[in-house]
Amino acid sequence: MNLTRLHPTAEAPGQAPTAGPHQPVSSLLAGPGVPQRAQRGRGLRARNWRAEALLRMFENVLEIGENPDELIVYASLGKAARDWTQARAIAHALLGLEEQQTLVLASGAAVGVLETGGSAPLVLSAVNNTVGRWASPERFYERAAAGQTIWGGLTAGAWQYIGRQGVLAGTYELFGTIARVHFGAAPGGEAEALDGRWVLTSGLGGMGSSQPISARMLRLSSLTVEADPAKAERLRLAGGLDRVTDDLDAALATVLDAEAPVAVGLVGNAADVYPEIARRGIVPDIVTDQTAAHDARFGYLPSGYRLDAWRRARDERPERVERDARASMARQVEAMLELAAAGAVVFENGNNLRVQAIEHLSPDAEDRVNTIPGFMEAYLRPLFARGIGPFRWVCLSGEDADQRVLDELAVRLFPNRPEIARWIGLARTNVPPQGLPARSCWLGHGERSAFAVAANDLVADGTLAAPVLFSRDHLDAASMTHPRIGTEGMRDGSDGSTDFPLLDGLLLAATGADLVALHSGGGGYSGWMQSAGVSIVADGRPETAVRLRRCLDADSGLGVLRHAVAGYPEAADSVAAGGETGRSPLTWLSSVKGSGR
Ligand code: NAD
């Protein structure tokens, strides 16, 4: 067998292969310190479209990431590669990769290239997977500081991040479900039910900045607290906020007196603002939070700290910072409980905020704090049970015309689910573009593969200018275990079992995905999660259509089966129906103990 040794240090920035006299083939070869940009157009730099697509995605996550010079994409510390030496080594490997080869990555570093065969994944990546007894934040920080591991986020290290839109569709689904569950909306009438209401939330980072936009799509006003004025201003300039202020009175007046939905960014600390709003007896309709609370050291500004002092203190006295951050989170959570008691709909939005508060308050507070539900258990699980989740596609041409063709395809293909056309219509006018044109769209079992195969035909006949990459968030029906986020309160008690994400990764490799990534939590998420990510490219070849169908059906199908086994009737119905399209049959061996009906 031919094993290829990668020479990560062989290419210093100045020696990068060049496209022209002064132009490196990829911005990855020139960075850090230069703007990162994904290649557009029909031209190939790699030896085939599958590798070219993955290289463009790697470039793209840094083009739109939070701190590309440090390879940080989102979620506080979520990185695209171990360090710049490794980033260059990976880019070089992708440029030279043949279709019969697989590039193997371990925690963001290039390990080697193996001969695996034409339908094997081009990239297999494992990030920070650690035995349970050693999966602590302290060990993670030590190893990360020594350059031995990274937190890959969900989509950062797997190069599947598409900016705030990645979570925007989910937050839109979430607010829509809340409108139906709590405010009496009929399907399709969510915006009417939310008009005149407002949400209090916080965090305008990589993911959090989606919140005001998804609220606006449903005519819900928002007041979002953000500690960093630059983040708030960035979103205002992108059109996602109508107004930014550091004055709580002015922010409240704008939201409470608004005659039409309004999105206000309030520069401040959530740990101070929430208690003050509760003290004044002002009750928002909905309350949540999307600061990077999962990471007490790097993700949540403690009350009383200035941003610059916090950044220094994280290195100088990390234990103190963590203690102060958790104390502040506990204050914020106490205020959320008060607001819930006063009638607000309060939930946690996937950031471990309750866990952090309980750690400060003591285990006695657990039951009280956990009266705040997690968003997945409370609202979105019935969709996951049908394999409906955060599917996404990326136009590798970089052309808006391709984006339009695919949007229209989604509207046309699924007339039985009018909510899909509704979402696409809203997304086209409300989502500020970031990087390569991309769309997140909550499609279900059978719909994803049908869409991807149809898109493959459009690549083949030249309607689309270049291939399209399909992916999804790792937080999907089969692919994520996190007992306080995706799998909280599973009916069969399987909240902490990582069997399904691991099976998912194996199935994705077996069915011919182009990239499969298995991630474990890092930073504050150490020990909390396991996930699987997938990317697959529609390059127009007939054999690709076969892989697209197998791979995407296996992925969403396993999600349905997981929920069927756990006792969710929506999943059993999906099995009986052959998925959302009726054309993706599944075999459920329902005699397995703990199965649904
Ligand atoms: P990020 O690190 O890019 O941004 C966090 C933001 O919070 C920053 O802008 C920061 O300034 C702000 N902030 C920190 N402390 C604050 C405080 N005390 N008051 C006000 N603002 C404060 O992180 P992100 O990518 O936006 O992710 C945020 C969280 O959402 C993470 O915990 C992530 O894991 C989680 N997440 C949830 C979902 C989901 O599906 N619900 C999806 C992705 C990410």
Side-chain angles (χ1 to χ4, degrees):
M1 180 178 286
N2 180 14
L3 292 177
T4 305
R5 183 158 197 281
L6 300 168
H7 297 280
T9 50
E11 299 287 351
Q15 301 167 321
T18 55
H22 305 294
Q23 270 256 274
V25 158
S26 164
S27 53
L28 289 165
L29 300 173
V34 302
Q36 291 299 311
R37 185 170 159 80
Q39 180 84 359
R40 271 78 167 164
R42 298 165 198 239
L44 282 184
R45 300 160 298 169
R47 297 193 176 168
N48 52 74
W49 260 111
R50 297 169 70 196
E52 176 71 31
L54 298 177
L55 181 60
R56 288 186 190 197
M57 292 301 289
F58 186 8
E59 293 162 342
N60 194 52
V61 299
L62 292 174
E63 176 178 328
I64 60 180
E66 294 293 296
N67 181 358
D69 280 353
E70 292 185 33
L71 294 160
I72 289 178
V73 180
Y74 78 113
S76 185
L77 299 176
K79 287 178 80 170
R82 185 88 64 90
D83 53 36
W84 275 101
T85 304
Q86 291 300 332
R88 286 189 201 102
I90 293 167
H92 273 293
L94 288 171
L95 285 166
L97 208 59
E98 302 285 358
E99 289 204 68
Q100 297 75 20
Q101 297 179 320
T102 296
L103 167 64
V104 176
L105 308 178
S107 296
V111 174
V113 173
L114 295 109
E115 305 296 317
T116 46
S119 62
L122 258 71
V123 174
L124 286 175
S125 166
V127 179
N128 197 44
N129 297 287
T130 309
V131 293
R133 295 288 285 261
W134 280 28
S136 69
E138 292 68 32
R139 279 187 196 271
F140 169 82
Y141 293 132
E142 256 173 48
R143 295 197 72 229
Q148 293 166 336
T149 194
I150 57 167
W151 153 230
L154 299 178
T155 53
W159 318 325
Q160 294 151 345
Y161 179 78
I162 56 168
R164 65 179 74 87
Q165 192 187 171
V167 75
L168 208 150
T171 314
Y172 165 87
E173 294 290 343
L174 182 54
F175 288 146
T177 308
I178 287 173
R180 293 190 297 278
V181 171
H182 296 285
F183 303 127
E190 292 84 357
E192 215 176 300
L194 292 175
D195 203 353
R197 299 184 186 274
W198 67 289
V199 56
L200 169 66
T201 185
S202 38
L204 291 172
M207 294 289 90
S209 58
S210 70
Q211 301 174 100
I213 301 171
S214 24
R216 181 193 276 157
M217 285 176 166
L218 288 161
R219 302 195 58 76
L220 177 68
S221 287
S222 58
L223 194 167
T224 311
V225 187
E226 167 56 55
D228 183 345
K231 299 280 167 93
E233 188 55 16
R234 180 182 65 170
L235 188 61
R236 191 187 68 77
L237 291 173
L241 289 174
D242 300 306
R243 179 168 183 200
V244 173
T245 174
D246 58 5
D247 180 341
L248 175 60
D249 294 329
L252 284 170
T254 306
V255 169
L256 296 173
D257 301 343
E259 290 185 356
V262 65
V264 177
L266 172 64
V267 176
N269 193 313
D272 303 326
V273 172
Y274 284 43
E276 177 57 20
I277 288 178
R279 193 191 64 75
R280 294 184 189 191
I282 296 170
V283 185
D285 296 286
I286 304 171
V287 179
T288 189
D289 167 274
Q290 209 166 38
T291 58
H294 70 271
D295 198 307
R297 189 176 300 186
F298 291 96
Y300 187 97
L301 179 74
S303 174
Y305 281 58
R306 288 169 35 137
L307 276 175
D308 48 355
W310 175 48
R311 288 181 186 128
R312 278 196 307 276
R314 299 190 300 210
D315 294 328
E316 288 163 8
R317 39 193 174 90
E319 287 81 14
R320 174 77 192 274
V321 168
E322 288 182 17
R323 214 173 42 244
D324 290 347
R326 289 201 178 93
S328 294
M329 290 189 230
R331 271 180 56 194
Q332 186 186 346
V333 166
E334 293 288 9
M336 291 167 80
L337 287 164
E338 262 184 68
L339 293 169
V345 174
V346 180
F347 65 93
E348 182 184 288
N349 199 4
N351 63 356
N352 260 17
L353 181 69
R354 291 165 299 169
V355 166
Q356 303 284 23
I358 292 164
E359 195 159 329
H360 174 79
L361 291 169
S362 91
D364 295 347
E366 196 163 340
D367 288 347
R368 201 165 54 82
V369 169
N370 285 340
T371 56
I372 297 176
F375 74 112
M376 188 52 65
E377 183 185 9
Y379 302 116
L380 295 184
R381 183 144 310 135
L383 292 177
F384 269 26
R386 292 160 59 192
I388 299 176
F391 187 59
R392 61 187 58 168
W393 55 86
V394 180
C395 302
L396 298 166
S397 64
E399 291 184 15
D400 293 337
D402 281 4
Q403 171 90 314
R404 275 196 297 280
V405 168
L406 292 171
D407 278 343
E408 281 156 19
L409 180 67
V411 169
R412 217 173 43 245
L413 272 189
F414 309 112
N416 294 342
R417 288 220 298 128
E419 58 269 38
I420 294 173
R422 214 162 30 240
W423 158 255
I424 295 285
L426 285 165
R428 287 175 81 162
T429 46
N430 284 278
V431 177
Q434 286 178 286
L436 292 171
R439 183 68 70 228
S440 169
C441 187
W442 278 49
L443 297 185
H445 179 55
E447 291 170 340
R448 302 178 186 200
S449 58
F451 183 83
V453 169
N456 196 53
D457 290 344
L458 297 176
V459 176
D461 70 15
T463 306
L464 294 169
V468 179
L469 181 133
F470 294 97
S471 184
R472 53 157 174 71
D473 194 5
H474 290 208
L475 174 54
D476 198 11
S479 51
M480 153 92 111
T481 291
H482 187 314
R484 299 313 303 274
I485 302 183
T487 48
E488 180 168 13
M490 291 292 285
R491 283 195 187 161
D492 63 347
S494 63
D495 306 23
S497 164
T498 61
D499 289 349
F500 279 99
L502 296 175
L503 284 170
D504 196 31
L506 294 172
L507 269 174
L508 291 166
T511 49
D514 287 317
L515 175 148
V516 182
L518 286 175
H519 288 193
S520 209
Y525 279 140
S526 298
W528 278 104
M529 67 161 79
Q530 176 77 61
S531 68
V534 57
S535 298
I536 182 163
V537 185
D539 59 7
R541 291 182 291 183
E543 61 270 32
T544 302
V546 176
R547 285 194 299 115
L548 285 166
R549 179 168 294 288
R550 284 187 185 144
C551 169
L552 295 174
D553 273 353
D555 190 38
S556 56
L558 186 69
V560 172
L561 291 176
R562 173 196 202 163
H563 286 83
V565 167
Y568 291 88
E570 296 88 348
D573 292 345
S574 173
V575 173
E580 298 302 306
T581 57
R583 288 195 296 276
S584 291
L586 284 169
T587 304
W588 172 30
L589 303 178
S590 53
S591 58
V592 172
K593 194 167 179 291
S595 41
R597 295 174 156 184

